[in-house]
Amino acid sequence: MAFGRDGLIQIILIGNSIVMLAPIIIMVISAFKTNAQIFQSPFSLPDFTKVGNLVRVWTETDFIRYLMNSFIVTGSSIALILVLGTMAAYALARYEFRGANLILLFFLAGLTLPLKLAVIPLFIQMRDLGLLDTRFALIFIYVATGLPTTVFILTGFIRSLPNELEDAARMDGASEARIMWAIMLPLVRPAMVIAAIQNVVPIWNDFFFPLIFIQSNDLKTLPQGLTTFMGEFGTDWGVLFSGLTLSALPVIILYIALSRQFVNGMTAGAIK
Amino acid sequence: MLSSKLTGRNLWIAALVVPPIAFMSLFLVYPILSAFAYAFYEWKGLARGEFIWFENFHRVLFEFPFSERTINAFSHNIFVFFALMVLQNGVGFLLAYCLWRELWGARFHRVAVFLPVVLSTVIVGLLWKLFLHPLFGAVNVSLRGMGLGFLAQPWLGQDSTALMAIIVANAWHMVGFPTLVFLAGMQRIPSEILDAVRMETESEWVKMSKIVWPLVAPSATVVFTLLFVGAFNWFELPYVMGGIDGSPHGATDVLGLYFYRTAFGSMSASAENFGPGSALAVLIFLFIAVVSSVITIRLRKREIQL
């Protein structure tokens, strides 16, 4: 009886993992095939030494440029989110001052606001600031949307840090800035990793805001560039699968290496 | 001495909190507040015209052809919400229940179920578009291979299956999220309760429906609310798989696409129409805000404090 129950659970789990992984495996093996091989036997293993499709993606398309743009935009956004988020969270968590609760509420309110629906005023605003079709438009938007969760996570964490170190340093006459930088911030690093991961996946993957704000091919991010690229190579499925594989692989490898941190980071807002 | 020290401290605090507040005000709060104002003006291209009260709202809700498209898109969003409730949250709960037993290999299955979640929606959409290709897609090729060729369909090409195909792709992409949120909820159930249950009943169904399900209510509140918000903000996957016009024949049109087309122009008519677009955005925003608060409050009531 117990075996039957566990057996059923195993069958469900194995079946599900096949459904989850098969599309990704087919994507990767198709990257090494010709059109004819993909159409006739989509599931057969290819000759993994045939990297012609991958080379074509690398050399004949703007793939590297899109990849670099994604790195620049995501990297700058995360850096700015962490700097600004830590500043606000540190002030809210370590000092008592008038209006602190109000400021925390202000950041929390930002958690619930869907910025996608404010894209029309945002568009006008970016035009007035002269930021249309620049990376700054994307970076500023990502920072604004990423700050609420970051402040939320970091404030909770910084509050839980002990007072003793800080008090001792203050006794010795260290300045507030020095206490923050040299004593407290090194302790905040684990929470910063969670906050960074929580932001990095949606920013790296975002398609909506580049679609609205970026027109130049030179500035397109990877998800946006992929749609262009799919149009250009529409009939060459080996190249298409190679493009998808090359775009997905960095994230997949990072996820497999850091799966616990990814899961914690991405569900941090949903698990109390 | 004391006062100068105090101002120094206040200056330091201000230096810390002002830049982040400024960023959020400028690029999040201000645009959202202006969105409400914009909906009450007439727009000519990118230039704001006169204040016209509720005319934009009247147009998108009651005037042809806006009204019909609004209703068509809205009904699709409702369908998407309920379909994903079953395919994503329902399946997620079952998978979480299976993973929770910590049988051999559970760690592997946990990593596998969350893997698609980290992929970009664009990659998922383009991948499934290739798989669902009527002639060469892996789905139809394998159906033919199994002698089930009569089941092969132009999945994304016909009205009857297009929306459902995109919904299934969405469920594949995101099912890991509710799964792991539910799993975290289950892992917080105290073992004394589970031991007591084990004494009372052998039935897995009773345990799942009468004990576990009520006890993971906080997780359910979160994933239901997030799914609701996601279903009515749905944009990227239908854009990639169905196209900007919700093809075929508007069968995959949803509010997000319709809003985008109205505001920034479609393939056929690339003209901005910010008035009706803003009105649509405000209506979608209010609908999501009101209904998701009601959902959250009602679901909170059934949560049990342990």
Side-chain angles (χ1 to χ4, degrees):
Chain A
M1 180 63 207
F3 175 78
R5 193 185 298 160
D6 286 0
L8 181 67
I9 286 177
Q10 279 295 17
I11 289 168
I12 293 174
L13 288 177
I14 292 169
N16 183 68
S17 289
I18 292 172
V19 173
M20 290 292 127
L21 299 179
I24 294 171
I25 293 169
I26 296 172
M27 171 180 79
V28 175
I29 60 176
S30 301
F32 296 91
K33 293 180 178 180
T34 63
N35 264 9
Q37 289 168 322
I38 294 170
F39 298 159
Q40 276 151 26
S41 49
F43 309 111
S44 65
L45 282 180
D47 177 355
F48 283 107
T49 57
K50 294 230 160 68
V51 291
N53 292 328
L54 298 165
V55 172
R56 281 188 68 193
V57 171
W58 210 252
T59 54
E60 286 177 34
T61 74
D62 290 322
F63 184 85
I64 298 176
R65 174 172 292 165
Y66 302 146
L67 190 70
M68 286 313 295
N69 287 335
S70 275
F71 266 116
I72 295 169
V73 168
T74 309
S76 326
S77 304
I78 297 293
L80 213 51
I81 286 175
L82 287 181
V83 170
L84 292 170
T86 309
M87 283 162 62
Y90 187 82
L92 293 171
R94 300 313 288 191
Y95 299 111
E96 278 177 30
F97 58 97
R98 238 181 337 145
N101 283 328
L102 211 65
I103 294 174
L104 188 61
L105 265 177
F106 174 79
F107 281 111
L108 290 188
L111 280 174
T112 57
L113 296 175
L115 191 60
K116 269 186 192 176
L117 293 173
V119 72
I120 292 176
L122 211 47
F123 187 84
I124 304 264
Q125 194 179 329
M126 292 298 180
R127 182 202 57 179
D128 293 345
L129 294 170
L131 296 176
L132 282 184
D133 206 19
T134 67
R135 292 195 188 96
F136 289 109
L138 297 180
I139 295 170
F140 291 167
I141 289 169
Y142 295 147
V143 172
T145 49
L147 271 178
T149 46
T150 308
V151 171
F152 181 63
I153 292 173
L154 291 180
T155 307
F157 186 85
I158 297 176
R159 258 193 199 141
S160 70
L161 296 175
N163 289 325
E164 286 79 10
L165 283 172
E166 195 184 349
D167 292 342
R170 207 162 276 145
M171 231 62 112
D172 290 343
S175 71
E176 293 296 325
R178 194 170 160 69
I179 294 173
M180 175 179 172
W181 182 254
I183 296 171
M184 302 307 282
L185 285 195
L187 303 173
V188 187
R189 250 183 248 148
M192 284 184 179
V193 172
I194 294 282
I197 287 180
Q198 185 176 32
N199 285 300
V200 81
V201 177
I203 294 176
W204 179 265
N205 288 341
D206 183 54
F207 173 60
F208 182 76
F209 289 112
L211 182 70
I212 306 271
F213 290 104
I214 302 295
Q215 269 93 46
S216 319
N217 193 51
D218 287 359
L219 295 175
K220 282 182 178 169
T221 60
L222 195 52
Q224 190 188 12
L226 266 183
T227 58
T228 318
F229 161 82
M230 293 303 271
E232 284 168 22
F233 288 83
T235 51
D236 200 334
W237 282 35
V239 177
L240 297 184
F241 277 116
S242 299
L244 292 175
T245 302
L246 285 173
S247 322
L249 231 44
V251 185
I252 293 179
I253 291 170
L254 207 61
Y255 165 70
I256 290 173
L258 300 169
S259 64
R260 184 185 297 273
Q261 284 87 339
F262 264 73
V263 170
N264 287 345
M266 292 183 71
T267 56
I271 296 171
K272 282 172 244 173
Chain B
M1 178 65 195
L2 189 72
S3 73
S4 82
K5 194 183 165 198
L6 271 178
T7 28
R9 179 177 176 275
N10 285 345
L11 265 177
W12 166 241
I13 292 174
L16 287 177
V17 296
V18 168
I21 291 178
F23 240 94
M24 249 188 69
S25 310
L26 193 58
F27 294 104
L28 186 70
V29 178
Y30 176 71
I32 285 178
L33 293 179
S34 343
F36 283 87
Y38 279 28
F40 293 92
Y41 285 88
E42 191 183 8
W43 286 85
K44 291 181 180 114
L46 294 181
R48 191 160 73 175
E50 279 175 54
F51 188 82
I52 51 168
W53 293 99
F54 290 95
E55 209 169 291
N56 288 323
F57 293 96
H58 189 263
R59 274 177 85 186
V60 294
L61 285 178
F62 303 112
E63 279 174 37
F64 186 83
F66 286 102
S67 57
E68 268 193 17
R69 293 187 191 142
T70 310
I71 292 165
N72 177 48
F74 182 64
S75 64
H76 289 155
N77 282 102
I78 293 176
F79 180 73
V80 170
F81 172 63
F82 284 106
L84 286 178
M85 188 62 111
V86 176
L87 286 177
Q88 206 163 288
N89 287 352
V91 171
F93 178 79
L94 273 178
L95 290 173
Y97 193 79
C98 294
L99 287 169
W100 184 39
R101 309 263 312 203
E102 300 275 344
L103 298 178
W104 187 85
R107 226 181 83 82
F108 169 80
H109 295 304
R110 204 167 57 210
V111 172
V113 76
F114 203 75
L115 178 55
V117 181
V118 304
L119 295 180
S120 154
T121 311
V122 172
I123 294 179
V124 172
L126 294 174
L127 187 61
W128 281 95
K129 213 173 155 181
L130 291 177
F131 288 156
L132 292 169
H133 190 279
L135 292 177
F136 309 123
V139 172
N140 281 354
V141 169
S142 37
L143 282 174
R144 286 192 207 100
M146 289 187 290
L148 297 168
F150 59 93
L151 284 177
Q153 312 265 339
W155 302 102
L156 290 169
Q158 56 189 8
D159 296 7
S160 54
T161 52
L163 187 60
M164 203 57 206
I166 304 178
I167 288 171
V168 170
N170 194 89
W172 177 81
H173 183 198
M174 293 308 292
V175 72
F177 185 80
T179 303
L180 292 193
V181 174
F182 275 128
L183 180 62
M186 290 173 191
Q187 284 166 340
R188 275 198 307 264
I189 300 177
S191 52
E192 305 90 68
I193 293 183
L194 297 170
D195 292 338
V197 175
R198 215 161 288 137
M199 310 271 243
E200 294 293 324
T201 177
E202 260 292 292
S203 158
E204 201 73 21
W205 170 249
V206 171
K207 188 175 141 203
M208 184 159 80
S209 60
K210 294 283 188 322
I211 310 296
V212 175
W213 174 243
L215 287 176
V216 296
S219 311
T221 307
V222 171
V223 296
F224 285 12
T225 313
L226 287 178
L227 178 68
F228 180 80
V229 176
F232 283 87
N233 266 325
W234 215 40
F235 175 78
E236 301 189 343
L237 202 60
Y239 178 92
V240 173
M241 293 181 74
I244 187 171
D245 292 310
S247 62
H249 323 112
T252 59
D253 199 15
V254 285
L255 288 173
L257 285 176
Y258 179 49
F259 161 68
Y260 179 82
R261 274 202 323 273
T262 310
F264 294 98
S266 62
M267 302 294 193
S268 45
S270 69
E272 292 93 358
N273 209 343
F274 280 0
S278 297
L280 264 177
V282 168
L283 289 170
I284 298 171
F285 176 78
L286 289 179
F287 178 76
I288 292 176
V290 170
V291 180
S292 63
S293 330
V294 172
I295 293 179
T296 308
I297 291 166
R298 296 211 52 159
L299 289 179
R300 281 265 163 82
K301 279 197 186 136
R302 55 178 278 273
E303 289 177 12
I304 308 161
Q305 294 298 328
L306 283 175

